[in-house]
């Protein structure tokens, strides 16, 4: 069976660049990008669409890498909070639905497809601002809290995956500050904002270098561990 890499959120700034980088790398026999507007469509807010996409992937080959590049920081309705005063339950629920519950559903439906023998990776793009230990600036309550929840889900899934396959790897990755629609309103000049292609090359290098002993960890784009 052909070895598969699947990128979820392949229409996003980082997702598109990661798809292209994996295709060019030649490590996997086939690289598949899934997105809301693709075939099959995958919408994190619709569990049935995730289940259907996973069933489709199961028939396409041997899943060796599932890379989740979805995420939500702002849209026309919601902007990241600057203070406690701005907390809005609907905003917070949406941030959790996309950044934590959606990836948990990806784990639920795609992790059973990972082989029981040999290297098999589930990786999700988190964010350094989700680190509790690294939080010195405050603000962005919903995004930070949802990414911290995602990090805990990664750690918890890693324990379970290791029982099924000691060679499995489940990690959270921080891509750096990258020029995409998600970061555009917040990337001040002076910050090290990098093109998605460059960030994708670094992230794929980090992924390629991961060992089973790295499972359950949180790494930045240079492969350095980030505190939870
Ligand atoms: N850019 C940065 O500086 C930066 C920094 C730290 C962490 N990150 C993280 O990196 C990841 C990718 O972000 P990005 O910068 O590439 O942002 P982006 O260009 O805005 O991409 C976001 C992606 O999320 C997908 N998405 C949103 N809602 C969805 C839903 N309901 N169902 C399925 N997919 C959905 C979008 O899919 P559609 O294509 O269907 O809209 C898109 O592919 C995110 O997790 C983000 O938190 C980014």
């Amino acid at each position: 069976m052909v070895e598969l890499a699947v990128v979820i959120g392949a229409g996003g700034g980082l997702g598109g660049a990661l798809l292209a980088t994996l295709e060019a790398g030649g490590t996997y026999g086939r690289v598949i990008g899934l997105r809301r507007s693709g075939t099959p469509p995958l919408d994190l807010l619709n569990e049935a669409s995730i289940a259907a996409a996973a069933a489709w992937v199961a028939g396409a080959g041997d899943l060796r890498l599932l890379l989740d590049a979805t995420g939500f920081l702002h849209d026309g309705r919601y902007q990241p909070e600057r203070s406690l005063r701005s907390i809005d339950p609907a905003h917070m629920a949406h941030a959790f639905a996309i950044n934590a519950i959606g990836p948990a559903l990806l784990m639920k439906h795609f992790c059973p497809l990972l082989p029981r023998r040999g290297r098999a990776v589930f990786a999700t793009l988190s964010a350094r601002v989700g680190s509790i230990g690294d939080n010195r600036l405050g603000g962005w309550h919903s995004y930070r809290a949802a990414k911290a929840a995602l990090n805990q889900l990664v750690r918890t899934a890693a324990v379970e995956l290791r029982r099924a396959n000691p060679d499995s790897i489940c990690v959270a990755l921080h891509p750096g500050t990258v020029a995409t629609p998600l970061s555009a309103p917040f990337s001040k000049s002076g910050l090290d904002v990098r093109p998605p292609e460059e960030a994708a090359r670094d992230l794929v290098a980090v992924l390629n270098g991961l060992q089973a002993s790295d499972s359950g960890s949180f790494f930045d784009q240079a492969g350095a561990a980030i505190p939870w």
Side-chain angles (χ1 to χ4, degrees), residues 3-71:
E3 296 209 330
L4 296 181
V6 172
V7 179
I8 314 278
L14 275 157
L18 285 162
L19 183 72
T21 305
L22 287 166
E23 278 170 348
T27 305
Y28 300 92
R30 184 173 174 198
V31 184
I32 293 169
L34 298 175
R35 65 197 88 201
R36 278 183 287 191
S37 58
T39 310
L42 187 154
D43 185 340
L44 295 178
L45 300 177
N46 177 349
E47 185 177 356
S49 78
I50 300 174
W56 182 87
V57 166
D62 191 17
L63 182 63
R64 291 284 162 182
L65 170 66
L66 191 294
L67 179 49
D68 167 32
T70 62

Side-chain angles (χ1 to χ4, degrees), residues 9 11-15 36 42-45 69-71 98 125-127 143 147 174-178 180-183:
L14 275 157
R36 278 183 287 191
L42 187 154
D43 185 340
L44 295 178
L45 300 177
T70 62
I98 304 297
L125 295 188
S126 183
Y143 184 69
K147 290 294 192 182
H174 168 67
T177 305
V178 186
T180 68
L182 182 138
S183 68

Side-chain angles (χ1 to χ4, degrees), residues 5 32 35 54 62 73 79 91 96 105 115 140 151 162 195-196 220:
I32 293 169
R35 65 197 88 201
D62 191 17
L73 175 60
Q79 294 300 317
H91 173 186
F96 271 77
L105 293 173
W140 294 23
N151 290 347
R162 188 176 299 126
D220 71 11

Side-chain angles (χ1 to χ4, degrees), residues 128-154:
R128 190 183 293 277
V129 298
S131 163
I132 295 172
D134 191 60
N135 185 355
R136 284 177 294 269
L137 289 175
W140 294 23
H141 306 62
S142 293
Y143 184 69
R144 280 185 190 278
K147 290 294 192 182
L150 171 64
N151 290 347
Q152 179 66 283
L153 287 161
V154 163

